[in-house]
Amino acid sequence: MKKKKSEDYFKRQIPTDRSIYVDNKAPVGESPEVVKHQHQHYPNNRVVSSKYTVWNFIPKNLFEQFRKIANFYFLCVGIIQLIMDSPVSSATSIVPLVFVVTVTAIKQGYEDWLRHKADNEVNNRKAFIVHNGELTQIKAQNIKVGDIVKVEANQGFPCDLVMISSHDPEGKCYVTTANLDGETNLKTHFCVPETKRFQKEGVFTDLCANIECPKPIADLYKFIGRIKVYNDSHHVLKSLGPENILLRGARLKNTPFVYGCAIYTGPDTKMALNSKAKSTKFSRVERGMNKYLITFLVILLLEVLASTILSYWYMGQDSVGNPWYIPDAKQDVNAKNVISDFLSFMILYNYIIPISLYVTVEIQKFVGSRFLQWDLEMYDEDLDNAAQANTSDLNEELGQVEYLFTDKTGTMTENDMQFRRCSINAIKYEEIGGHLHEMAPHGGQSTPVIRLTAEIDEFLELLALCHTVRVDHSEATETGASTLYSITGMDYEYQSSSPDEKAFVEACCRYGVVFHGIRDDHLEVTFHGEMRRYRLLHVLEFDATRKRMSVIIQRENGEIVLLCKGAETAVLKIGISGEIDRTYDHIHDYAVLGLRTLTLGKRVLAPKEYERVNGMLTEARSSFDGWDEKLQKAFLTVEKDLHILGATAVEDRLQDGVPETITTLRRAGIKVWVLTGDKEETAVNISYSAGHIINGMEELRVTKATCADHKRCGEEIAKHIHRIQDWSPSSQQFVLIVDGFSLTFALGEHTEVFRELCQKCAAVLCCRMSPLQKAEVVKMMKTASHAPVTAALGDGANDVSMIQEAHVGLGIMGKEGRQAVRNSDYAFAKFRFLQRLLLVHGHYYYHRLTTLVQYFFYKNVAFITMQFFFSFQSDFSQQSVLSTSHLMLYNNTMTSLPIFIYSLLEQHISQRDLIENPHLYKNITRNRKLDKRNFLQWFVLGLWHVVVFFFGVVFLFGNDVSLWPDGKMMGLSSFGTIAYTICVITVNLKLCLETYYWPLPMFMAYVATGVVNMCLTFMDNMIIWPEFIQSLQDNYKVYTTCLSSGTVWLSIMLLPVIALFPDVIIRVARDTDY
């Protein structure tokens, strides 16, 4: 009883945040039961990405499949056929249903088997943990929270670890996170100084520590925690950040080994949390397909209702309703009989709903998406990256895009920054031939800088220190550059997640200011050979809210300085000294040239002030509740009263083919909007260079200069709308330029009029935007009354929100990591590939799938309407004109393969013509091929075809004429067989008329269909089936008997020609238009 109370106590005491005992050892004075319960409340390290097990696969898969309306409908029909006197065999519904469900189950089972295989490979991988001072080998799935794990070079981390120590005496290690975010550059991680001495297994018996961290979150770049290291009677408390954690999925590089404590295992790891499926998106075609299904369900119910009413009306006629050869033909009109007859007719006509459509579409999309990855023209040799499809559900939506929202930096540009110019103490400098030159005030000859002045020295000092750049040495093999120096810096390879920072450090290196890295918590920099060491006290990380980053360093003379760099709007406003106005003017000049700018400032901190700031930062980093808000408050407290040193200007070159691509997309009817965080002048300049803004367009601005509040913003928008209306119907084009400040007002109280203004403009440029504002702009157009299809294109983490918001998310495999790629639906390496993705792949995907959908409904109308027409011939007796084998094989073998191959390979227009004639893209947008006119055309053609071959056969049988010299007559089976044969030939020839591209697989699909159908017909017609299924064999010797008549052969050749005559005319007219 006492034990039970103890367990209940610990269950109550387990907090939301984690308290983890390293090596599962409780500190002196705490109960060992705490460690025991540590294992009970956190999951083990087993990875499970599969959906099914051996035991639940069948029930779970069947449940998921029968949630689909078509499958559930046919299941109900099959059950009805089993429990009542059905006019046709229950096999006609159950066999196709079983086929579709089985194919889907095999596909999903195979995919899940691959997931099981991958899971087992990961779970059974060898891992090493330290226990009682000894190294023990276990399976990775058996790692528990609190275990000390040893990971060696080039191995992946088996779970999320807090780094304890490494081979490097400084407690550093280098990892690559390419599997997590796609960033290939190495990142430096650290342990806290108090644990870096534990470098051998035996000494871990002396380690007693406790780690506190929050509950698991998915954000790869966010972690806050603290570690308490016990030393005899006292302890040391240290904060932990993202640089102290080693994530599962990352890999150890250039370091022989590291030790880490497991904090998140199995499903709690950040990698597992990021593996959850994104929200499901549905294409227009899919929604249209569902509308078709509902329409045909209504048609089915109307046909069934009409047949049921006419049946009772017919039986009510005394002259014909009670023939002498059918005793008791009249039925009482009661609910039971009416429902029974209603269901019987439903069974007769139910094949108007194409059961195999959904599984065919699913397979077609999956296979079709592979063509995108196999397209060599979308392969980038420089990055060795092929295009990739993260989903196959939206293939056809690529052919429907009307609005494209694109980022600028790294998406339209190379994101390869080159330092070009700078402003130092209100003097302009430029780089020429790798050397710094002072620019003449009025455009004269630049003067090379021979010696660094105090102002230049201070400026370059900031660039060399205020960053998160890591140093690699070309000769380092194990410990990176931590033990190797390069006097000139030429042997260094600088790694950074920020291309701007890398450009700054490389520029400093060219000017003789070489950054050597961090050693013993000190930044080491040589100024023309003179070594200076700066103690790194704090890093104030960049975030999108502040739009700046800072470091607090201590110089060798003991002076403590805050160094800050960021956007001019974020830095100049907190500046109180220096050449603020002149620097702002220079920034404007650089922006006009299309250069990216940053502003630099510093602030000297008094010792007492630093103590206060240090306390705030330490407390914020160590707290769990509201740590983000506390950290922001601490940042804002210290980042103020700056002395402005100057500004930098770097060049980011446009990618090849960007202007041509934007022009092509505009001709295709796609409106391109550029959404960027850059300042207005830079964004405008790049937009002109990229062809987004064309000379001659009139610029309309909704910016901070004219929109100080909600009212002014509304007035400015209304003024621009009137301006455009005054020009109407002139051919004058307008471009709207908006900044983030004004966008806050425009999307607040003026959304409708702002959207109207945007729609009237040929191009829209939004600058100085936050990531959230990008998503809001996409949502604004996405929810417009005409419901356009939107696509968003980006390359960085700041683009993820708009990529997920758009109907189609597109990612660029750029240099800002792979978060955009991971969250996108489709990804590729270069902006220019966009035109091939949309104009070729998008066009083909849409055309193929819409034809497949319409063809499926058409061929079922042409097939099953025979049953409805025959009801009039059979006096609504519920007699089927089609045999069991006809109903089972029509959709599954007789007409399935050609349309499937068509939906993969058809090219109704050549790829070259689609690229050279972008206007052809307009012909398919707005879901034109699935509109009411096209639907009605296919439906009417299906009705015409069934009228021709059904009543053609009726005419053939008319007047009881014999088709054989010996006077033999044909019966019901012969009638149905001839009509069915003509139907199969007609619908396959109809697809031939829709086909423009005849590669070998397309031709072989018809050959295979013909051979298979002949074999199945032979089996049905010539072989006597086993007794237990003999009741399903209705056509024994029927085919051979029918085909012995020349008249039947004539009708088989003639009726399809008559039926397809309108289709030939339509094909000729369509080809003439093209």
Side-chain angles (χ1 to χ4, degrees):
M1 188 68 181
K2 188 175 181 181
K3 183 179 180 182
K4 179 77 167 62
K5 287 183 179 179
S6 174
E7 290 177 355
D8 290 342
Y9 170 79
F10 282 115
K11 286 180 182 177
R12 290 195 303 270
Q13 292 301 309
I14 291 294
T16 304
D17 298 324
R18 299 190 172 195
S19 182
I20 299 166
Y21 297 91
V22 178
D23 199 16
N24 302 298
K25 292 187 297 190
V28 177
E30 293 197 34
S31 170
E33 290 291 318
V34 178
V35 176
K36 177 182 174 182
H37 284 77
Q38 175 172 285
H39 290 163
Q40 295 178 358
H41 286 271
Y42 303 132
N44 62 23
N45 200 39
R46 181 174 176 79
V47 174
V48 179
S49 62
S50 54
K51 290 174 59 178
Y52 309 108
T53 65
V54 174
W55 309 109
N56 71 10
F57 174 71
I58 292 178
K60 189 173 181 180
N61 185 264
L62 289 178
F63 174 75
E64 290 175 351
Q65 291 206 55
F66 286 114
R67 289 170 66 185
K68 297 178 180 178
I69 185 171
N71 289 352
F72 182 73
Y73 165 76
F74 274 91
L75 176 65
C76 293
V77 170
I79 293 172
I80 291 170
Q81 287 178 280
L82 288 172
I83 63 178
M84 65 174 289
D85 185 16
S86 172
V88 295
S89 170
S90 58
T92 58
S93 293
I94 294 175
V95 171
L97 178 62
V98 169
F99 173 78
V100 169
V101 170
T102 302
V103 169
T104 305
I106 291 172
K107 172 182 173 288
Q108 294 176 350
Y110 173 71
E111 291 174 349
D112 205 58
W113 175 78
L114 293 177
R115 287 191 285 266
H116 272 284
K117 186 178 178 182
D119 289 349
N120 290 334
E121 183 181 342
V122 172
N123 291 329
N124 295 324
R125 195 171 289 162
K126 293 179 183 179
F128 294 91
I129 65 170
V130 178
H131 186 60
N132 294 329
E134 295 181 355
L135 198 62
T136 306
Q137 179 180 314
I138 62 172
K139 291 181 178 179
Q141 66 182 3
N142 295 328
I143 295 174
K144 297 181 176 64
V145 169
D147 286 346
I148 296 177
V149 183
K150 182 179 182 179
V151 180
E152 297 184 341
N154 299 316
Q155 291 181 349
F157 301 108
C159 58
D160 291 352
L161 308 168
V162 165
M163 186 175 168
I164 300 294
S165 62
S166 77
H167 176 271
D168 184 44
E170 298 297 324
K172 298 179 187 176
C173 75
Y174 303 108
V175 303
T176 174
T177 58
N179 289 340
L180 290 171
D181 57 16
E183 294 186 13
T184 55
N185 57 294
L186 296 181
K187 297 178 176 64
T188 307
H189 288 253
F190 309 87
C191 64
V192 296
E194 285 71 20
T195 63
K196 67 182 181 181
R197 66 183 178 88
F198 296 96
Q199 294 180 294
K200 294 184 179 180
E201 291 83 12
V203 300
F204 276 99
T205 55
D206 300 330
L207 175 63
C208 185
N210 172 242
I211 297 173
E212 294 180 358
C213 54
K215 63 182 180 180
I217 59 173
D219 194 326
L220 295 173
Y221 308 99
K222 221 175 237 189
F223 178 77
I224 189 75
R226 57 193 175 200
I227 182 170
K228 189 185 294 183
V229 183
Y230 295 87
N231 293 314
D232 299 327
S233 60
H234 68 282
H235 65 264
V236 177
L237 185 65
K238 289 286 185 178
S239 62
L240 299 172
E243 68 279 1
N244 304 120
I245 188 172
L246 306 171
L247 300 180
R248 178 182 153 229
R251 189 172 293 276
L252 184 65
K253 290 287 187 181
N254 291 0
T255 309
F257 63 82
V258 297
Y259 294 98
C261 177
I263 56 169
Y264 301 131
T265 52
D268 289 346
T269 61
K270 289 180 179 288
M271 184 178 185
L273 295 174
N274 276 278
S275 298
K276 293 181 179 178
K278 303 190 293 289
S279 58
T280 305
K281 298 179 180 180
F282 297 97
S283 69
R284 272 187 173 175
V285 172
E286 199 167 350
R287 292 192 291 267
M289 194 165 68
N290 292 333
K291 290 179 182 178
Y292 274 15
L293 181 63
I294 294 172
T295 300
F296 277 96
L297 278 172
V298 171
I299 292 172
L300 169 64
L301 292 175
L302 291 175
E303 288 182 344
V304 170
L305 183 63
S307 298
T308 304
I309 294 172
L310 289 172
S311 171
Y312 280 92
W313 172 82
Y314 178 83
M315 288 188 295
Q317 304 299 310
D318 292 332
S319 57
V320 295
N322 191 20
W324 62 268
Y325 51 85
I326 306 180
D328 301 323
K330 282 193 175 182
Q331 299 185 60
D332 294 332
V333 182
N334 56 49
K336 179 182 177 182
N337 290 335
V338 171
I339 292 173
S340 176
D341 290 338
F342 185 89
L343 294 177
S344 295
F345 281 115
M346 178 175 283
I347 291 167
L348 271 180
Y349 305 152
N350 79 84
Y351 258 78
I352 198 171
I353 307 299
I355 184 174
S356 57
L357 172 61
Y358 284 93
V359 69
T360 305
V361 167
E362 189 175 340
I363 296 173
Q364 186 270 345
K365 285 186 174 185
F366 174 76
V367 178
S369 65
R370 303 301 101 183
F371 288 102
L372 180 65
Q373 297 173 248
W374 297 334
D375 188 350
L376 292 179
E377 294 191 40
M378 293 187 68
Y379 169 77
D380 183 68
E381 294 183 359
D382 297 334
L383 298 177
D384 189 28
N385 281 329
Q388 69 183 57
N390 296 327
T391 180
S392 59
D393 296 334
L394 301 172
N395 294 348
E396 65 279 10
E397 202 79 333
L398 293 171
Q400 296 295 292
V401 176
E402 296 168 76
Y403 284 85
L404 174 69
F405 302 90
T406 177
D407 177 42
K408 180 185 73 67
T409 305
T411 303
M412 295 166 62
T413 62
E414 294 282 3
N415 206 13
D416 182 16
M417 308 302 175
Q418 297 295 327
F419 189 89
R420 295 302 183 212
R421 298 186 180 189
C422 62
S423 170
I424 305 174
N425 197 29
I427 299 174
K428 287 184 177 181
Y429 296 86
E430 64 179 338
E431 182 180 289
I432 300 176
H435 298 282
L436 197 63
H437 287 62
E438 181 180 339
M439 298 178 66
H442 303 291
Q445 184 72 31
S446 297
T447 306
V449 176
I450 307 300
R451 297 184 61 184
L452 300 184
T453 63
E455 291 82 4
I456 298 176
D457 185 280
E458 197 173 33
F459 184 88
L460 296 180
E461 179 188 55
L462 189 150
L463 291 182
L465 296 174
C466 186
H467 55 71
T468 56
V469 173
R470 189 182 60 77
V471 181
D472 273 352
H473 196 288
S474 58
E475 297 180 5
T477 57
E478 289 190 342
T479 57
S482 63
T483 60
L484 297 172
Y485 281 94
S486 171
I487 297 175
T488 63
M490 292 299 104
D491 295 324
Y492 289 151
E493 183 180 350
Y494 294 111
Q495 303 279 358
S496 176
S497 57
S498 168
D500 296 84
E501 290 185 346
K502 183 180 178 183
F504 295 152
V505 175
E506 289 175 341
C508 288
C509 188
R510 292 193 295 272
Y511 308 150
V513 179
V514 182
F515 173 66
H516 297 282
I518 303 176
R519 291 170 185 81
D520 296 324
D521 293 329
H522 283 72
L523 299 161
E524 297 184 341
V525 182
T526 53
F527 286 74
H528 294 282
E530 177 192 346
M531 173 65 76
R532 300 180 190 174
R533 301 181 83 242
Y534 303 81
R535 186 182 176 191
L536 179 61
L537 300 176
H538 286 284
V539 177
L540 283 59
E541 296 85 358
F542 174 87
D543 63 65
T545 304
R546 290 165 37 246
K547 295 183 179 179
R548 56 181 179 259
M549 72 89 62
S550 304
V551 295
I552 302 177
I553 55 103
Q554 185 176 33
R555 292 191 171 119
E556 292 174 320
N557 61 7
E559 185 180 44
I560 298 175
V561 183
L562 169 83
L563 304 177
C564 179
K565 73 175 191 299
E568 85 279 359
T569 54
V571 176
L572 291 179
K573 70 180 181 182
I574 56 176
I576 59 170
S577 62
E579 297 287 347
I580 298 176
D581 294 335
R582 296 280 299 279
T583 300
Y584 179 80
D585 293 338
H586 290 176
I587 289 172
H588 180 272
D589 295 340
Y590 295 148
V592 170
L593 297 174
L595 301 176
R596 288 165 56 92
T597 59
L598 288 176
T599 307
L600 280 57
K602 74 166 190 175
R603 179 185 176 209
V604 178
L605 301 177
K608 288 186 178 180
E609 183 180 9
Y610 171 70
E611 287 180 13
R612 182 173 61 86
V613 170
N614 181 53
M616 292 181 65
L617 289 170
T618 303
E619 180 188 355
R621 294 186 193 278
S622 301
S623 63
F624 295 151
D625 298 330
W627 67 271
D628 200 15
E629 292 79 7
K630 291 180 180 178
L631 212 54
Q632 288 293 321
K633 183 179 179 181
F635 287 173
L636 295 175
T637 300
V638 67
E639 289 180 333
K640 63 180 182 180
D641 302 338
L642 298 184
H643 173 73
I644 302 303
L645 300 180
T648 61
V650 296
E651 180 184 26
D652 187 11
R653 193 174 65 87
L654 273 179
Q655 292 182 23
D656 294 336
V658 170
E660 294 82 359
T661 300
I662 291 180
T663 301
T664 299
L665 295 179
R666 186 175 281 123
R667 290 174 58 199
I670 300 173
K671 288 192 173 183
V672 180
W673 292 23
V674 175
L675 313 181
T676 179
D678 274 351
K679 59 186 65 64
E680 181 183 333
E681 295 82 2
T682 304
V684 170
N685 188 281
I686 293 294
S687 287
Y688 272 106
S689 303
H692 176 238
I693 303 177
I694 304 172
N695 289 329
M697 283 185 176
E698 182 173 336
E699 296 180 6
L700 305 177
R701 279 181 162 79
V702 179
T703 59
K704 186 177 181 179
T706 56
C707 303
D709 51 38
H710 282 284
K711 183 179 178 182
R712 293 279 301 278
C713 183
E715 292 172 352
E716 195 71 13
I717 293 172
K719 182 181 78 174
H720 290 326
I721 291 176
H722 290 309
R723 172 68 176 162
I724 295 174
Q725 290 173 343
D726 291 341
W727 275 93
S728 182
S730 168
S731 59
Q732 174 65 43
Q733 291 184 317
F734 296 86
V735 56
L736 178 63
I737 300 170
V738 191
D739 63 10
F741 178 84
S742 305
L743 204 57
T744 305
F745 304 135
L747 294 177
E749 299 178 2
H750 312 292
T751 304
E752 293 300 325
V753 288
F754 180 66
R755 180 162 48 209
E756 181 186 352
L757 173 61
C758 291
Q759 288 174 302
K760 291 178 180 294
C761 294
V764 176
L765 171 63
C766 301
C767 49
R768 279 295 185 225
M769 299 183 74
S770 68
L772 184 60
Q773 284 181 319
K774 290 184 178 183
E776 289 173 346
V777 168
V778 174
K779 185 176 181 180
M780 177 191 72
M781 292 310 303
K782 183 180 172 183
T783 56
S785 57
H786 64 297
V789 174
T790 59
L793 175 66
D795 74 314
N798 61 330
D799 302 316
V800 168
S801 54
M802 75 167 179
I803 285 173
Q804 292 179 332
E805 181 65 45
H807 292 99
V808 183
L810 306 174
I812 290 284
M813 300 167 183
K815 299 178 181 178
E816 292 188 16
R818 296 295 176 93
Q819 290 190 73
V821 172
R822 287 192 297 110
N823 287 277
S824 67
D825 301 306
Y826 303 91
F828 43 92
K830 299 295 183 185
F831 186 87
R832 68 176 184 273
F833 294 156
L834 191 61
Q835 60 178 318
R836 183 166 179 83
L837 177 74
L838 300 180
L839 303 189
V840 177
H841 289 285
H843 198 120
Y844 284 157
Y845 283 143
Y846 177 77
H847 179 83
R848 292 164 180 169
L849 188 63
T850 51
T851 303
L852 180 147
V853 170
Q854 293 181 114
Y855 180 78
F856 257 86
F857 284 109
Y858 148 79
K859 69 188 180 76
N860 279 31
V861 167
F863 173 59
I864 209 61
T865 308
M866 281 192 288
Q867 296 276 41
F868 182 64
F869 287 166
F870 186 73
S871 293
F872 290 88
Q873 301 289 323
S874 64
D875 297 333
F876 306 100
S877 63
Q878 300 163 18
Q879 172 67 51
S880 175
V881 70
L882 299 168
S883 69
T884 300
S885 60
H886 294 157
L887 294 170
M888 286 193 300
L889 299 178
Y890 179 76
N891 275 321
N892 293 330
T893 62
M894 298 290 179
T895 59
S896 59
L897 186 58
I899 183 59
F900 179 68
I901 300 299
Y902 172 97
S903 69
L904 295 177
L905 301 178
E906 170 65 2
Q907 297 183 18
H908 60 298
I909 304 173
S910 71
Q911 298 181 26
R912 181 178 177 181
D913 285 343
L914 288 175
I915 293 292
E916 293 180 352
N917 301 282
H919 65 275
L920 295 174
Y921 190 83
K922 298 178 184 179
N923 298 339
I924 62 170
T925 53
R926 307 297 302 169
N927 207 12
R928 283 184 172 85
K929 281 184 65 64
L930 279 185
D931 60 13
K932 294 178 181 178
R933 185 183 66 83
N934 277 287
F935 167 77
L936 193 60
Q937 177 180 306
W938 281 86
F939 183 72
V940 169
L941 286 173
L943 289 178
W944 163 250
H945 292 171
V946 70
V947 165
V948 170
F949 54 72
F950 179 83
F951 289 104
V953 176
V954 169
F955 177 77
L956 186 67
F957 277 67
N959 300 321
D960 296 328
V961 64
S962 172
L963 304 180
W964 287 271
D966 58 4
K968 285 183 181 178
M969 303 294 293
M970 284 194 178
L972 178 62
S973 295
S974 300
F975 180 93
T977 297
I978 296 171
Y980 174 78
T981 303
I982 296 170
C983 173
V984 170
I985 293 172
T986 302
V987 297
N988 278 296
L989 288 176
K990 165 66 175 171
L991 184 60
C992 290
L993 287 173
E994 295 295 323
T995 304
Y996 286 83
Y997 184 59
W998 287 91
L1000 183 61
M1002 190 73 225
F1003 176 77
M1004 292 304 299
Y1006 281 97
V1007 173
T1009 299
V1011 171
V1012 170
N1013 288 347
M1014 287 176 63
C1015 293
L1016 292 173
T1017 301
F1018 174 79
M1019 292 171 60
D1020 186 30
N1021 186 69
M1022 302 298 293
I1023 299 175
I1024 299 178
W1025 292 2
E1027 187 173 348
F1028 70 94
I1029 58 170
Q1030 210 168 73
S1031 60
L1032 301 179
Q1033 188 173 21
D1034 304 325
N1035 292 329
Y1036 184 66
K1037 295 289 182 125
V1038 172
Y1039 269 102
T1040 52
T1041 303
C1042 291
L1043 296 180
S1044 64
S1045 168
T1047 309
V1048 172
W1049 278 101
L1050 180 63
S1051 64
I1052 290 175
M1053 291 185 288
L1054 184 61
L1055 291 179
V1057 173
I1058 297 173
L1060 292 171
F1061 184 72
D1063 300 80
V1064 174
I1065 295 174
I1066 292 172
R1067 168 70 186 260
V1068 171
R1070 185 167 60 221
D1071 290 351
T1072 302
D1073 289 340
Y1074 280 142

